[in-house]
Amino acid sequence: MSAFRPDWESLRAHRIPKWFGAAKFGIWSHWGPQSVGRSGDWYARHLYGMQPWSEPWERKRATRQHAHHRAHFGKGGAKDLFPRWRAERFDPDELIDLYVGSGARYFVALATHCDNFDLWDSTLHAWNAARIGPRRDIVGAWERAARAAGLPFGLSFHQNWTWRWLDVAHGADPETGEPYDGGLTTADGAGTWWDGLDPAQLYPERHEPGAKPPARVAERFYARVREALDRYRPDLVYLDDGRLPFDEGSVVESEPASKEGLALLAHYYDTCPTGGVVTIKDVPDADRTAVLLDCERRQLDTAQPHPWQFDTSDGEWFDCAGDDPMFHPRKSAQQVIHTLIDVVSKNGCLLLNVPQRADGTVDDHARELLAGVGAWLRVCGEGVYGTTPWVRAAEGSTGLGETKGYEGYNEADRAYTPGDIRFTRRGEAVYATLLAWPHDRTAVVTSLGTAAGLLERRPQRVELLGHGPVPWTLSSDALRAELPPEPPTTAAYMLKII
């Protein structure tokens, strides 16, 4: 008998598995055919250029990526990226070893992006990596490598966006007026590389801007997702939507609104050996155990009562060779460490995408970043993994800033001061992490002063991780710790108060 019914009342009985709350740091391979362009995210949409129904924020990106595509690849649509993506140097075992060395405790692979190309050997969708491009089950290769390394394994699905994302394939070249490839049929592929494939299965049917998709679009989406879940048994499922795809409030709400997502949750939680985690991006408080809150490039101000996930990327979501200000800049190890400890102090986990080149490799910048994060976690991981929020998450004057951009993000490489501190706890130990090194070598933690009333008992010892015990004093206004001449770690400096 099924333990869960396909309704919110039943699904609220689900609990976020302990492994997730303890993991704290994961790596995401948000990688696929769009990496061929080396021009960042949304490439499969924007290679078509601006269309009359394109949104205002897209204007610069679509114009730039259309010009880039013409200069490097000539004509063609999104489908023509697929055979160019060969992943010829993809070594999942080597990459997973790299990610384990960075301190990651879970791994997520892209299953299908908004370009509607499945990265596994799907029996329901012929436009897939086992048949085109790599001619390899990419998801299966990731899953085997992650499991062998003992990492919980996740999959991300984004093709619910395809309806409003690849509608541009039904437009025309903005320069020549020549129709794009959205209206092609199977017969048009005779004698070509896509002989026997049906573009109508890849591109959405022609529709008016803002029109809701019919129920069959939602049904097909959920059938493909369920096939992947049943085959690869992921421990985590990332759904790229504000609500369950095609349901009320979804980025692409179907007509009528689909309840297939509730059935998928019930089935998945009943069959996932580790309990299952499903993430969406707009979760009412009452549903925080039924689904996990995911915040894309958006840090939260306060600790949350349930685990949540912050996801971001080292730069653009797909490999990008440009440094135009419209692209997200690459990150430093320091920025990732600062973000990690801020998120963890608020009961969250950080999921970091590491962009891969089209051939499957990662560049030197990514390797250096991961090495820096791994070195810090080898010293300070005890105040990260398996911790819970303390009674106060943070102190200091440097805020997160206003949300900005079309994504509503607020992440940034901030100029933290020694007064900016993040707290975690493990058992009776409290960890206070300074986000900058004090020039006078005195750590001042006001939240631990006796006047604050937050200490459960008087501390017995204070250690600086990577160095050892340090002299300290306790007064009404603060706990003060005298630090050594040189910091033992980079980026952030963790005090353990016992």
Side-chain angles (χ1 to χ4, degrees):
M1 179 179 292
S2 174
F4 292 101
R5 302 185 308 275
D7 60 63
W8 287 112
E9 181 181 4
S10 175
L11 293 166
R12 288 176 189 132
H14 174 262
R15 293 293 178 264
I16 305 301
K18 290 182 179 179
W19 75 259
F20 181 82
K24 306 303 182 186
F25 180 44
I27 295 293
W28 190 4
S29 173
H30 191 284
W31 172 58
Q34 291 174 85
S35 59
V36 169
R38 300 210 69 204
S39 189
D41 199 19
W42 288 59
Y43 189 77
R45 173 174 171 83
H46 291 152
L47 65 83
Y48 290 98
M50 284 292 296
Q51 298 300 315
W53 57 92
S54 297
E55 297 182 48
W57 70 265
E58 297 182 88
R59 192 166 303 277
K60 181 179 179 180
R61 185 178 283 257
T63 299
R64 187 189 192 285
Q65 290 180 322
H66 173 70
H68 175 89
H69 190 73
R70 276 300 179 88
H72 289 83
F73 305 109
K75 296 183 179 181
K79 73 180 189 313
D80 299 293
L81 293 173
F82 304 159
R84 293 187 170 104
W85 181 55
R86 300 186 180 90
E88 63 271 21
R89 297 176 63 193
F90 172 48
D91 184 344
D93 294 305
E94 188 272 334
L95 290 174
I96 290 293
D97 285 346
L98 176 68
Y99 302 151
V100 170
S102 77
R105 294 290 178 91
Y106 66 109
F107 175 79
V108 178
L110 177 70
T112 311
H113 200 250
C114 315
D115 58 7
N116 209 21
F117 185 79
D118 287 349
L119 272 66
W120 77 93
D121 188 10
S122 173
T123 65
L124 302 177
H125 190 61
W127 298 90
N128 69 68
R131 178 168 180 167
I132 306 165
R135 298 187 179 276
R136 181 178 181 182
D137 184 340
I138 298 295
V139 166
W142 277 128
E143 189 264 346
R144 288 188 294 274
R147 302 281 190 216
L151 293 182
F153 176 69
L155 288 176
S156 72
F157 299 89
H158 310 252
Q159 74 270 31
N160 46 307
W161 282 84
T162 301
W163 177 264
R164 58 178 285 191
W165 212 76
L166 284 184
D167 57 353
V168 291
H170 292 288
D173 188 295
E175 299 170 5
T176 67
E178 182 180 354
Y180 280 126
D181 57 344
L184 295 176
T185 66
T186 305
D188 294 316
T192 71
W193 68 264
W194 52 280
D195 196 342
L197 295 171
D198 184 2
Q201 295 296 313
L202 175 68
Y203 298 121
E205 59 193 69
R206 187 185 295 273
H207 58 273
E208 292 297 317
K212 295 181 177 182
R216 61 180 175 274
V217 174
E219 292 166 2
R220 181 170 173 79
F221 168 85
Y222 280 108
R224 287 162 61 193
V225 172
R226 182 164 176 163
E227 178 188 49
L229 303 194
D230 288 346
R231 183 176 303 180
Y232 303 106
R233 300 293 182 188
D235 304 284
L236 180 148
V237 179
Y238 179 111
L239 298 177
D240 188 5
D241 208 318
R243 296 298 290 160
L244 291 177
F246 303 101
D247 202 346
E248 294 176 15
S250 166
V251 294
V252 184
E253 184 180 319
S254 64
E255 181 59 52
S258 174
K259 300 304 176 186
E260 295 274 344
L262 295 172
L264 180 82
L265 291 184
H267 171 74
Y268 172 60
Y269 292 152
D270 280 341
T271 58
C272 180
T274 56
V277 178
V278 174
T279 79
I280 60 175
K281 298 179 180 180
D282 183 12
V283 185
D285 290 346
D287 296 339
R288 288 286 189 94
T289 58
V291 284
L292 186 90
L293 173 67
D294 176 87
C295 297
E296 182 176 336
R297 298 189 187 267
R298 181 169 58 87
Q299 292 171 248
L300 300 181
D301 289 320
T302 59
Q304 303 298 301
H306 299 288
W308 59 285
Q309 179 173 264
F310 172 87
D311 70 88
T312 189
S313 179
D314 174 22
E316 287 282 294
W317 291 114
F318 286 102
D319 181 40
C320 183
D323 59 0
D324 189 291
M326 76 176 187
F327 294 128
H328 289 284
R330 301 295 294 270
K331 288 181 169 57
S332 65
Q334 174 174 285
Q335 184 180 353
V336 172
I337 291 165
H338 285 172
T339 303
L340 172 63
I341 194 62
D342 178 77
V343 168
V344 170
S345 74
K346 297 164 184 174
N347 208 19
C349 296
L350 169 62
L351 179 63
L352 175 69
N353 173 53
V354 178
Q356 287 171 247
R357 302 183 184 103
D359 66 5
T361 60
V362 299
D363 64 16
D364 289 342
H365 179 279
R367 290 179 180 274
E368 291 171 9
L369 181 155
L370 293 169
V373 175
W376 187 83
L377 280 168
R378 280 190 287 277
V379 175
C380 300
E382 68 171 89
V384 175
Y385 305 121
T387 60
T388 57
W390 189 52
V391 292
R392 179 173 289 173
E395 69 175 63
S397 59
T398 306
L400 297 178
E402 299 297 322
T403 58
K404 58 184 179 179
Y406 70 91
E407 298 165 317
Y409 65 88
N410 67 351
E411 66 171 359
D413 193 1
R414 298 181 178 87
Y416 287 111
T417 71
D420 293 310
I421 301 172
R422 300 295 183 266
F423 300 96
T424 56
R425 76 180 305 165
R426 178 198 291 272
E428 293 188 346
V430 174
Y431 298 86
T433 304
L434 284 65
L435 300 183
W437 185 256
H439 295 301
D440 63 0
R441 297 193 287 111
T442 300
V444 181
V445 188
T446 60
S447 297
L448 298 180
T450 56
L454 302 178
L455 284 172
E456 297 175 354
R457 59 179 177 81
R458 182 181 175 84
Q460 303 299 306
R461 185 169 75 254
V462 177
E463 299 177 9
L464 176 64
L465 296 190
H467 171 78
V470 294
W472 60 279
T473 59
L474 181 65
S475 61
S476 62
D477 67 320
L479 182 148
R480 289 175 171 82
E482 300 306 313
L483 306 179
E486 298 297 329
T489 55
T490 60
Y493 317 97
M494 187 176 286
L495 295 170
K496 179 180 182 181
I497 299 96
I498 304 173

